[in-house]
Amino acid sequence: MRKVFSILVVFLLVVTSSPQSLFAAENFERVTSQSQALTYPCAQPGVEYTCSEINEMLTESAIAHGIPPEVAKAVAFRESNWQQWEDKEQTIPTFNKNNDGGIGIMQVTDKSGRFNEESLKNDIQYNIDKGLEILNEKWELGIRGVIPTINDNSRDVIENWYFAVLAYNGVVEKNSPTKKLDGSRNATAYQEEVFKFIEENNGMTLKTLPFTREDFKYDPADEDTALIFNKLHYEVPGPLTKSRQLFSEGDKVYTVVGTNLRTSKDGAGNNPLSSRQVAEILEETVFYDTSLQSPFRHWVRYHIQLQDGRTGYVTSGALEPITSRVSGATRYETAIEISKEGWQDGADTVVLAQAMNFPDALAGAPLAYKYNAPILLTETAKLTDATKKEIERLGADRVIILGSQVAVSKQVEDALVSMNLKEVKRIGGATRFETAQLIANELGSTNGKAIVATGFEFPDALAVAPYAARNAIPILLTNPNYIPESTMQALQGKSTIYAIGGENALNAPVINKLPGTVQQIAGETRYDTAAEIINAFDLGDQQALVATGTGFADALTGAVLAAKKNASLLLVTKDDVRTPIETIIKQRSIHTFTLLGGSDVVNVDNELAELATYSLQ
């Protein structure tokens, strides 16, 4: 849990003209001096709870429940204007807007009696927590295929909560994203209003999601009947909007034009920035206003440092992410952190590979993507303790081991069996080439395509792995000088072959013996080849994962995450972004980067931030 402090910052409240805002304005106790705090009825009987403290409670509770704070606060705002009580004496729980028994700040409806009604009425924190529990239950409907999901369904992306927010109010026709008569946007739908409040009360712009009337089925006679979804997944060009209230120390961010850089915690020294600037988050701690705080101010403040050395405090909505980092102390733990990043809600299947050598795992990304499985790493002789714990956290009931017992021992397999999983399966041949063939068989692709890369180096196969994974294309391995028999067998019936790598990886006789139509994708170095892969397959999408090109582990486990996010995988050295990768970043306007591994492995944050500056011009 992050540390939380409240600070005194004096602001004037600008009241908008929406009905919600007019209602809120009527409840302000106005004062003549601007230096005095305006107050709002955010309080509990016998205990003064300011709006600042409720902002803090909503923020910290949202983080504890794995929900973007912006979403939690906007739902509470839409439900009650952040009010637990209706009357000035604070004795009557907030009015029931929908006549459905809703109680308090989150308007919790408890017809089944699962919650403590008195606590719902009288304990703001309890009401918030139960409301967020319900919101998480609505999120689970997407995982179960009841309501639609968006992109990789990451919990920290605001737009991904669209249908969970819809379900919080009810999966009924009046909440359809489109109007049933003409298919136009339904601006009065509950979730549309919540998302409007996220934008207005945080000073940020969300992505417009691409809905059509044909996505939904309607009952022409009754708008309160259940809304039927004809489409259960949306792929939306990214990047979408990650929460601006979950930054970590060291993250690189962009300030928006006109950002006020406050020079002290009490809000003094208002200094508008005339241009966008790169900054670094100095601490994970967030700060809350205690003066003029209202339900209209959903943001928090971060302590930042600009590139010119100036430091100050900036509102969260005025910061846009450039770099974030996913890392652990070891390659095992980095793989686990990647798993937590991409599979926050768990996974049925885990793909397990040996951590210290790459051959058997090179072809694994497409298979892992097929089963929506993270790739975790283990020692050869025993199941790594941290990896075992992550399998348990994921709730997986199947583990697929890549490689023979030489790569991943029988002891590891026995340890997995002892975990009472439904299935422990090994895919391993006598050689790396046979293992790749067996993985291709398990993948079962019927698109007539295959990728061929050297089995003696890792960069080429891993750079292409996100594209191969998303498109169900098997990765087959070869000797640089000849094609092994197992690989030739796997290539039978393939009409399109992508040969990855130049002469040092695949020489001319190998290329000439490949069946079907062959497209060679190669550059002079591994970094050139990685850039050519992005060009050849038209990848980029404004976001990328970044891994070292001199070690395989982080790129291997990150490849499936890149595929889930529809992002490129960029290879760099520890301290340098090579020229071909720089060029790709500029050409593709890539400006959001997730670094895989610690700064001892990938330390190019500043260079990526400079390149993002170029991309956003």
Side-chain angles (χ1 to χ4, degrees):
M1 183 70 68
R2 65 184 68 206
K3 293 179 291 183
V4 182
F5 298 90
S6 292
I7 61 174
L8 179 65
V9 183
V10 179
F11 275 108
L12 292 177
L13 174 67
V14 179
V15 179
T16 67
S17 60
S18 71
Q20 302 289 344
S21 300
L22 290 174
F23 172 83
E26 293 170 0
N27 288 278
F28 273 93
E29 178 187 340
R30 298 205 173 272
V31 292
T32 56
S33 173
Q34 291 183 0
S35 64
Q36 293 178 276
L38 298 179
T39 61
Y40 192 93
C42 293
Q44 167 170 307
V47 180
E48 288 292 328
Y49 268 121
T50 66
C51 287
S52 175
E53 290 167 326
I54 287 186
N55 186 19
E56 181 177 330
M57 282 193 289
L58 284 165
T59 302
E60 295 302 312
S61 297
I63 293 169
H65 285 85
I67 299 171
E70 296 93 332
V71 173
K73 295 176 196 180
V75 169
F77 182 76
R78 171 61 178 79
E79 291 291 345
S80 68
N81 279 52
W82 285 15
Q83 289 184 286
Q84 179 73 5
W85 292 275
E86 181 180 10
D87 64 328
K88 293 182 179 180
E89 287 72 31
Q90 302 164 5
T91 58
I92 302 174
T94 301
F95 54 93
N96 173 19
K97 289 184 177 182
N98 300 312
N99 297 315
D100 60 359
I103 298 173
I105 186 172
M106 300 299 293
Q107 286 288 280
V108 176
T109 304
D110 187 26
K111 296 178 181 179
S112 63
R114 58 188 284 206
F115 303 135
N116 185 310
E117 185 172 329
E118 288 304 308
S119 295
L120 287 175
K121 292 178 178 179
N122 299 307
D123 186 333
I124 295 178
Q125 185 64 69
Y126 182 87
N127 194 290
I128 290 171
D129 284 336
K130 298 312 170 186
L132 296 184
E133 282 182 24
I134 293 170
L135 183 56
N136 261 333
E137 291 169 1
K138 305 308 180 184
W139 172 269
E140 291 288 330
L141 296 176
I143 298 172
R144 289 159 43 197
V146 177
I147 62 175
T149 56
I150 298 168
N151 288 6
D152 66 339
N153 209 36
S154 292
R155 294 178 67 94
D156 57 354
V157 174
I158 292 174
E159 289 91 344
N160 289 356
W161 285 85
Y162 184 91
F163 287 101
V165 171
L166 180 157
Y168 187 85
N169 185 253
V171 184
V172 291
E173 287 187 1
K174 65 182 179 183
N175 288 332
S176 171
T178 61
K179 295 180 181 179
K180 62 184 175 184
L181 292 180
D182 59 9
S184 63
R185 199 67 171 216
N186 183 11
T188 61
Y190 175 86
Q191 71 282 359
E192 290 284 333
E193 293 183 347
V194 168
F195 273 56
K196 180 184 69 174
F197 295 146
I198 292 174
E199 293 186 317
E200 292 178 348
N201 297 338
N202 289 283
M204 61 201 306
T205 302
L206 302 177
K207 192 100 169 183
T208 299
L209 300 176
F211 303 127
T212 67
R213 189 187 184 287
E214 288 69 33
D215 295 343
F216 312 99
K217 186 176 182 180
Y218 304 95
D219 181 342
D222 186 358
E223 69 170 8
D224 288 323
T225 58
L227 178 65
I228 305 299
F229 302 107
N230 293 331
K231 185 175 182 178
L232 283 173
H233 184 71
Y234 292 85
E235 284 293 332
V236 182
L240 300 183
T241 311
K242 292 189 73 170
S243 172
R244 304 295 196 254
Q245 298 183 26
L246 298 174
F247 290 121
S248 298
E249 180 180 341
D251 287 354
K252 299 289 184 180
V253 294
Y254 236 135
T255 64
V256 301
V257 176
T259 296
N260 285 321
L261 181 68
R262 308 282 178 173
T263 56
S264 67
K265 293 179 182 179
D266 62 4
N270 185 18
N271 181 18
L273 302 177
S274 60
S275 61
R276 306 188 76 182
Q277 298 193 37
V278 174
E280 181 177 337
I281 302 292
L282 291 180
E283 52 189 310
E284 192 173 285
T285 302
V286 297
F287 302 88
Y288 301 95
D289 289 338
T290 57
S291 176
L292 298 184
Q293 177 67 58
S294 81
F296 302 98
R297 298 184 180 278
H298 293 188
W299 36 257
V300 298
R301 290 190 182 280
Y302 280 97
H303 191 198
I304 68 167
Q305 181 174 29
L306 301 176
Q307 281 190 312
D308 61 13
R310 287 181 293 165
T311 62
Y313 300 86
V314 172
T315 59
S316 53
L319 300 174
E320 297 178 6
I322 298 176
T323 69
S324 59
R325 188 180 293 275
V326 178
S327 67
T330 65
R331 60 183 61 194
Y332 305 99
E333 292 175 11
T334 293
I336 289 166
E337 292 304 314
I338 289 170
S339 174
K340 291 178 179 178
E341 176 78 10
W343 291 266
Q344 299 156 335
D345 293 304
D348 295 330
T349 302
V350 166
V351 171
L352 188 66
Q354 198 248 82
M356 305 310 293
N357 209 356
F358 60 84
D360 289 315
L362 280 182
L367 182 65
Y369 184 79
K370 173 182 177 178
Y371 292 125
N372 191 23
I375 296 179
L376 298 178
L377 303 177
T378 186
E379 300 169 62
T380 295
K382 68 173 185 176
L383 179 62
T384 308
D385 289 340
T387 298
K388 178 181 177 181
K389 290 178 181 177
E390 177 61 8
I391 294 171
E392 292 171 341
R393 182 199 71 82
L394 289 164
D397 54 23
R398 176 171 64 163
V399 173
I400 299 175
I401 301 170
L402 299 184
S404 69
Q405 292 184 16
V406 174
V408 179
S409 69
K410 181 69 163 50
Q411 290 93 321
V412 171
E413 187 174 348
D414 290 342
L416 291 168
V417 170
S418 70
M419 293 175 66
N420 295 317
L421 303 169
K422 290 183 179 179
E423 181 182 15
V424 177
K425 182 174 184 176
R426 183 186 295 272
I427 301 178
T431 66
R432 63 193 68 188
F433 311 109
E434 289 183 11
T435 296
Q437 177 193 18
L438 293 172
I439 291 172
N441 292 343
E442 178 75 13
L443 181 64
S445 176
T446 59
N447 58 25
K449 298 179 180 180
I451 288 169
V452 174
T454 176
F456 291 93
E457 292 288 348
F458 60 84
D460 296 345
L462 294 183
V464 77
Y467 175 79
R470 284 190 67 85
N471 292 277
I473 302 174
I475 298 174
L476 300 170
L477 305 180
T478 184
N479 187 292
N481 300 308
Y482 67 90
I483 303 175
E485 179 60 29
S486 56
T487 302
M488 286 300 296
Q489 291 175 2
L491 288 171
Q492 296 305 307
K494 304 298 184 184
S495 57
T496 302
I497 310 297
Y498 301 108
I500 310 298
E503 283 190 13
N504 292 332
L506 305 173
N507 67 22
V510 167
I511 298 297
N512 293 335
K513 288 182 180 179
L514 292 172
T517 301
V518 178
Q519 178 182 350
Q520 186 171 13
I521 302 171
E524 292 185 8
T525 69
R526 61 188 62 187
Y527 307 102
D528 291 286
T529 297
E532 290 299 323
I533 288 168
I534 294 171
N535 273 330
F537 297 121
D538 195 26
L539 307 178
D541 205 25
Q542 302 180 351
Q543 60 181 329
L545 274 64
V546 181
T548 176
T550 59
F552 77 92
D554 298 340
L556 169 67
T557 55
V560 189
L561 180 63
K564 279 176 67 72
K565 293 183 175 296
N566 195 19
S568 300
L569 181 61
L570 304 180
L571 301 182
V572 300
T573 66
K574 175 186 174 183
D575 299 308
D576 184 45
V577 180
R578 294 295 173 87
T579 299
I581 302 298
E582 282 189 357
T583 301
I584 282 295
I585 290 171
K586 293 177 180 179
Q587 288 176 345
R588 300 277 167 178
S589 296
I590 301 174
H591 56 267
T592 305
F593 306 91
T594 301
L595 284 71
L596 304 179
S599 57
D600 59 327
V601 177
V602 178
N603 190 29
V604 293
D605 309 59
N606 290 331
E607 191 171 353
L608 291 172
E610 288 293 337
L611 291 166
T613 303
Y614 181 95
S615 298
L616 289 172
Q617 287 177 350

